[in-house]
Amino acid sequence: MATILVRNLPEAVHAALKIRAARNGRSMEAEAREILAGSATQGTGVLSPTDVQARAAERYRHVPPGVSAVDELIAERRREFLNEEEEYLQRKRRR
């Protein structure tokens, strides 16, 4: 991982970052990383870590507590494969 140092940060920005970090339950450093990741990737098609997390949470919101999202993803992929295989076999039978 790379490291950067931000010099001459205005006090108002520092205070706002501190408040924003507290609201989001993160350290100031983690909040700054999140802001930079979101800004740097905006418009590039690359998702920020928060966007990835939000999309994953939305996609797997139906998974009951105690069930691993990884296990659900594997099961989902298996279902997709079986559906594709069945469609392939049906097309093959029609020929």
Side-chain angles (χ1 to χ4, degrees):
M1 288 262 175
T3 302
I4 65 169
L5 172 66
V6 179
R7 297 180 195 276
N8 302 320
L9 187 65
E11 284 298 321
V13 173
H14 182 266
L17 180 61
K18 190 173 188 174
I19 291 168
R20 182 173 166 166
R23 282 189 189 144
N24 292 320
R26 293 191 271 252
S27 68
M28 287 179 55
E29 185 178 341
E31 190 66 25
R33 271 195 304 270
E34 185 62 35
I35 292 168
L36 287 170
S39 295
T41 59
Q42 190 174 10
T44 63
V46 175
L47 297 176
S48 73
T50 301
D51 291 339
V52 171
Q53 185 178 17
R55 286 187 180 191
E58 177 62 25
R59 183 172 182 175
Y60 296 104
R61 71 181 184 285
H62 67 281
V63 177
V67 175
S68 166
V70 173
D71 291 340
E72 179 59 27
L73 177 61
I74 291 169
E76 183 179 298
R77 293 293 187 254
R78 284 183 180 145
R79 288 189 297 270
E80 289 173 1
F81 172 77
L82 292 173
N83 288 338
E84 289 172 7
E85 184 180 40
E86 182 60 33
E87 289 172 10
Y88 170 78
L89 292 173
Q90 287 176 3
R91 282 194 307 271
K92 194 172 178 180
R93 286 184 208 126
R94 284 187 229 141
R95 291 182 190 168

